[in-house]
Amino acid sequence: MNPINQATDVATHVATLTPLYAEIFLLVAASAILLIDMFLGESKRVITYVLSLLTLAGCAMFSFADFNAGTTVYAFNDMFISDPMANLLKIASYIAVALTLIYSRQYAHQRGMLGGELGGEFYVLALFALLGQMVMISGNNFLSIYLGLELMSLSLYALVALRRDHAQSTEAAMKYFILGALASGFLLYGISMLYGATGSLELTEVATKAASGTVKPAILVFGLVFVVAGLAFKLGAVPFHMWVPDVYQGSPTPVTLLLGAAPKLATFAICVRLLVEGLLPMANDWQQMLMILAVLSLGIGNLTAIAQTNLKRMLAYSTIAQMGFVLLGLLAGVVGVDKSNTAAAYSAAMYYSIVYVLTTLGSFGLIMVLSRVGFEADELNDFKGLSKRSPWYAMIMSILMFSLAGVPPLVGFAAKFSVLQAVLSTGALWLTVLAVMFSLIGAFYYLRVVKVMWFDEPADTAPLAVNADTSIVLGLNALAVVAMGMIPGPLLDACLKAMKTTLAV
């Protein structure tokens, strides 16, 4: 073979892999960490921890460079896409997983989750779950999206069952696995129906065939129903929400945080890929479905959370309600005829997803900080009088609760306002009023946590022994919630720019 032609072929192959540098780096690094960890004792497991954080930093460098480029690049016969939306969501996912690892290190070590010959499996499974999320976020084909979803799901199933000697964790893992498999079946069956109707797994071709009018609408709608059901399960939207409180409560708290943070960003991405990019000609159909899911999630999530005394279950129902707002932003994007309003609605939903993850990270981080060996600080009573034990942590938790409740000038208010503004711009006044009313109801259980911390007498007087890095990062997390609420422009603009480029509107 001609050396010049051979060199050209190699350069071409390398160029086609450029959009996947972050995924390739993560895969190689996670595999290397798994091998290195086999030769480390429990006393040296900090090496696995540091390598995992360095891996996330390396991935962030690749994705940040791609985001700054602002271009859309395809790979693997258009099955993989690197665009501003994907890169921004990936960066947020890296931050979410990094904070989860920082918050959970002390908690996992105290409970033996990092012990034994393969104690580093917590870190490795977290990285592989992140890899699945990245494939989901950049999937441009039904097949690649589903492969990413299964990689993420299988890693999370194993993480939920990581404490094999803990009956509650094992029960949660069984529930999550069975219901997750059912939801994957729904999604896969819907995809098979769409493939049978259109003859393609590529999202752009599916959209073209669906808009051509040559495909029977009944088959498309039938497939769409199953696809929406599968997506609703991954979001935890009503009526596909029953797994959320049980799995959140039964899982080890670090795993609960891995479940409730970065995967929501990946699920938002595949909602945009499947519904907006692949099934936009059927927007009138899935918009009605999302409207029902959003209203039910807002109502049942907020009302049921009031009755909870376990904080992990309360935050689980809070998640259900918060996902209702994300769905409101998604359905608002296809109502109006003004393309600028369309981009604003999708960017508001994206902004809300990122903000929710940021606030959730700190909330579960505080639960892990207050926990100790033989004691899980996941009951409301465990936070009684926290201000007298540690005003610093009480202030952080108050900021996070106020943000989740949507109190200005915190970032939660800016997120809710952006979504409500997008919904109102479509003329759906009744839906906007309903969302505001349910938000006011939801404020009760958030403010109840603040009341318990500042006005009740301490139920526990044990001293708090927290790693310095955890305490510093928690403070930075709370500071980010305040700063991004007072100056929401940069992240909002980044989301708007990403959605405009991705959807070409």
Side-chain angles (χ1 to χ4, degrees):
M1 185 176 179
N2 190 322
I4 297 178
N5 293 336
Q6 188 175 10
T8 303
D9 291 340
V10 171
T12 302
H13 288 307
V14 171
T16 60
L17 294 177
T18 301
L20 291 98
Y21 279 172
E23 285 78 8
I24 294 172
F25 176 77
L26 178 57
L27 176 61
V28 173
S31 301
I33 291 171
L34 178 61
L35 291 174
I36 293 170
D37 184 77
M38 293 177 64
F39 301 97
L40 299 177
E42 187 174 355
S43 60
K44 296 181 179 179
R45 195 124 286 145
V46 66
I47 296 175
T48 307
Y49 167 74
V50 172
L51 288 176
S52 299
L53 293 182
L54 291 175
T55 298
L56 295 172
C59 292
M61 291 174 59
F62 287 115
S63 295
F64 189 74
D66 290 341
F67 178 75
N68 277 341
T71 56
T72 299
V73 184
Y74 295 88
F76 284 113
N77 294 322
D78 295 343
M79 294 181 68
F80 186 95
I81 182 173
S82 175
D83 55 21
M85 182 189 79
N87 291 310
L88 183 57
L89 287 175
K90 287 177 186 178
I91 293 170
S93 298
Y94 305 146
I95 295 172
V97 175
L99 291 183
T100 300
L101 298 184
I102 293 172
Y103 292 154
S104 61
R105 183 164 69 98
Q106 181 176 332
Y107 179 101
H109 174 73
Q110 291 175 346
R111 285 151 185 80
M113 294 171 63
L114 304 180
E117 295 181 356
L118 289 176
E121 61 191 3
F122 171 74
Y123 297 118
V124 175
L125 285 171
L127 293 178
F128 278 114
L130 175 62
L131 179 60
Q133 293 158 27
M134 294 166 67
V135 175
M136 289 168 64
I137 290 171
S138 286
N140 192 48
N141 183 288
F142 282 121
L143 184 59
S144 57
I145 289 174
Y146 186 75
L147 288 175
L149 176 64
E150 286 306 297
L151 175 57
M152 179 193 74
S153 298
L154 291 171
S155 301
L156 292 177
Y157 297 152
L159 281 166
V160 174
L162 197 59
R163 295 184 67 182
R164 291 178 288 274
D165 58 341
H166 195 264
Q168 198 174 22
S169 295
T170 305
E171 179 187 356
M174 291 179 65
K175 289 179 180 178
Y176 187 37
F177 174 72
I178 293 171
L179 294 175
L182 182 64
S184 294
F186 280 163
L187 185 62
L188 194 58
Y189 186 65
I191 289 174
S192 68
M193 293 295 295
L194 295 173
Y195 172 70
T198 62
S200 175
L201 291 171
E202 204 273 317
L203 296 180
T204 305
E205 289 185 18
V206 170
T208 303
K209 293 285 183 64
S212 66
T214 59
V215 182
K216 290 183 179 180
I219 301 178
L220 290 175
V221 172
F222 193 69
L224 176 64
V225 169
F226 283 94
V227 168
V228 172
L231 295 176
F233 177 89
K234 296 303 179 183
L235 281 173
V238 177
F240 306 96
H241 68 291
M242 296 307 296
W243 66 274
V244 179
D246 291 339
V247 174
Y248 271 43
Q249 183 180 8
S251 303
T253 307
V255 180
T256 303
L257 189 47
L258 283 171
L259 280 169
K264 302 303 181 188
L265 300 175
T267 306
F268 168 80
I270 64 172
C271 285
V272 173
R273 301 290 186 205
L274 294 179
L275 299 180
V276 180
E277 295 185 357
L279 299 171
L280 187 60
M282 304 178 65
N284 289 333
D285 296 303
W286 59 256
Q287 176 205 342
Q288 301 300 322
M289 300 179 197
L290 294 191
M291 187 177 299
I292 295 172
L293 293 174
V295 172
L296 290 177
S297 299
L298 287 169
I300 294 177
N302 282 313
L303 291 173
T304 312
I306 294 175
Q308 307 304 315
T309 57
N310 182 280
L311 275 178
K312 289 168 74 172
R313 288 188 73 88
M314 188 201 81
L315 289 173
Y317 282 107
S318 164
T319 296
I320 295 168
Q322 302 287 352
M323 290 303 102
F325 266 94
V326 175
L327 292 173
L328 285 179
L330 286 173
L331 70 89
V334 296
V335 177
V337 294
D338 189 344
K339 290 188 175 182
S340 63
N341 288 340
T342 298
Y346 292 136
S347 64
M350 182 179 178
Y351 178 71
Y352 196 98
S353 301
I354 296 173
V355 165
Y356 159 77
V357 168
L358 177 67
T359 314
T360 297
L361 287 166
S363 303
F364 281 103
L366 256 298
I367 293 176
M368 285 187 276
V369 162
L370 297 183
S371 301
R372 59 182 184 276
V373 178
F375 174 74
E376 300 291 330
D378 58 0
E379 295 290 334
L380 186 62
N381 290 337
D382 298 330
F383 279 72
K384 282 186 174 181
L386 180 60
S387 62
K388 297 179 177 61
R389 296 172 60 200
S390 174
W392 171 246
Y393 292 126
M395 181 183 67
I396 291 175
M397 192 64 169
S398 298
I399 290 173
L400 297 171
M401 291 296 104
F402 281 135
S403 180
L404 286 171
V407 176
L410 303 177
V411 70
F413 170 77
K416 280 185 168 59
F417 181 79
S418 62
V419 170
L420 292 174
Q421 191 176 34
V423 176
L424 188 60
S425 67
T426 67
L429 178 61
W430 69 272
L431 194 55
T432 308
V433 172
L434 198 64
V436 172
M437 294 301 296
F438 281 128
S439 294
L440 292 175
I441 294 173
F444 169 79
Y445 55 84
Y446 295 124
L447 299 181
R448 181 174 59 185
V449 178
V450 177
K451 177 261 179 188
V452 163
M453 290 190 300
W454 292 95
F455 297 103
D456 288 9
E457 291 300 318
D460 183 15
T461 57
L464 299 176
V466 185
N467 291 337
D469 58 344
T470 303
S471 184
I472 292 172
V473 174
L474 271 172
L476 293 175
N477 194 334
L479 180 62
V481 169
V482 176
M484 291 170 60
M486 299 181 71
I487 311 174
L491 182 57
L492 266 173
D493 291 341
C495 291
L496 183 61
K497 174 186 174 183
M499 296 310 299
K500 282 184 175 181
T501 304
T502 299
L503 302 176
V505 294

